[in-house]
Amino acid sequence: MSGWFRLTLGLLAVVVGAAWTVQGLGYVEDSIMAGHRVWALLGPLLALAGLALLWLGVRARNRG
């Protein structure tokens, strides 16, 4: 995977993970995922995976 692809995928994962977390915690009421605890748990996990991808993407960009 190239550095740009990792950066893009990591940023997308962080944003989606944050959205899932906010919806799972019930801050967004007009959502199917609102108030469901599973999304409040999966969101931070996805965001952490996104941060790892961002870190790997930055390392790949700095090498090449």
Side-chain angles (χ1 to χ4, degrees):
M1 260 195 289
S2 71
W4 284 113
F5 184 70
R6 286 181 186 150
L7 286 170
T8 304
L9 198 59
L11 183 61
L12 180 65
V14 169
V15 170
V16 170
W20 285 1
T21 303
V22 169
Q23 289 176 352
L25 292 173
Y27 291 116
V28 179
E29 294 181 11
D30 293 336
S31 170
I32 295 172
M33 296 184 281
H36 293 280
R37 193 173 289 171
V38 68
W39 298 111
L41 296 173
L42 290 176
L45 293 175
L46 182 62
L48 285 174
L51 288 174
L53 278 172
L54 284 172
W55 180 71
L56 290 172
V58 167
R59 283 189 58 200
R61 294 288 302 150
N62 287 339
R63 280 190 205 156

